Amino acid sequence: MPKWIITAHTFDPPPAMHTVSNVDGSEEDALKELHVILNTYNPDIKKVTRREIFRYSERQHLVRIHGNRNIVEYVIQLGELMTDPE
């Protein structure tokens, strides 16, 4: 069974990467989890006034979250565990 990881990267000081979710299942299961996270991830802003999602690829997005006083951006990515790295 494939293993997947969903990470969120922020570039605001200090830059950081966080593991948001681990998924054991098909690519379809992992993509469903990714889309839930794209629409709900928000560790920093108390009151969201707007959320923008920019798609770079099926597995990589930029989420811009607007609050009353600030804007935070996250690159959210889905990665598959390689079983046979070459």
Side-chain angles (χ1 to χ4, degrees), residues 4-7 26-28 30-31 34-35 38 55-62 75-81:
W4 303 85
I5 189 169
I6 299 172
T7 58
S26 67
E27 182 177 16
E28 182 181 337
L31 287 169
L34 174 65
H35 289 288
L38 290 172
R55 178 181 169 157
Y56 293 107
S57 70
E58 186 176 36
R59 296 183 183 181
Q60 186 178 43
H61 298 75
L62 178 111
V75 174
I76 298 181
Q77 303 181 105
L78 171 66
E80 182 179 12
L81 176 65

Side-chain angles (χ1 to χ4, degrees), residues 2-76:
K3 293 184 180 265
W4 303 85
I5 189 169
I6 299 172
T7 58
H9 307 255
T10 181
F11 301 99
D12 294 330
M17 183 204 65
H18 302 282
T19 299
V20 179
S21 182
N22 291 290
V23 180
D24 292 329
S26 67
E27 182 177 16
E28 182 181 337
D29 295 336
L31 287 169
K32 284 180 186 176
E33 177 73 8
L34 174 65
H35 289 288
V36 168
I37 290 168
L38 290 172
N39 289 296
T40 59
Y41 187 72
N42 176 26
D44 296 317
I45 295 182
K46 292 181 182 178
K47 183 173 179 180
V48 175
T49 59
R50 188 169 79 204
R51 176 183 299 265
E52 299 173 301
I53 301 172
F54 299 89
R55 178 181 169 157
Y56 293 107
S57 70
E58 186 176 36
R59 296 183 183 181
Q60 186 178 43
H61 298 75
L62 178 111
V63 177
R64 182 180 294 153
I65 302 170
H66 298 258
N68 286 332
R69 295 189 177 125
N70 58 346
I71 298 171
V72 180
E73 294 180 334
Y74 301 96
V75 174
I76 298 181

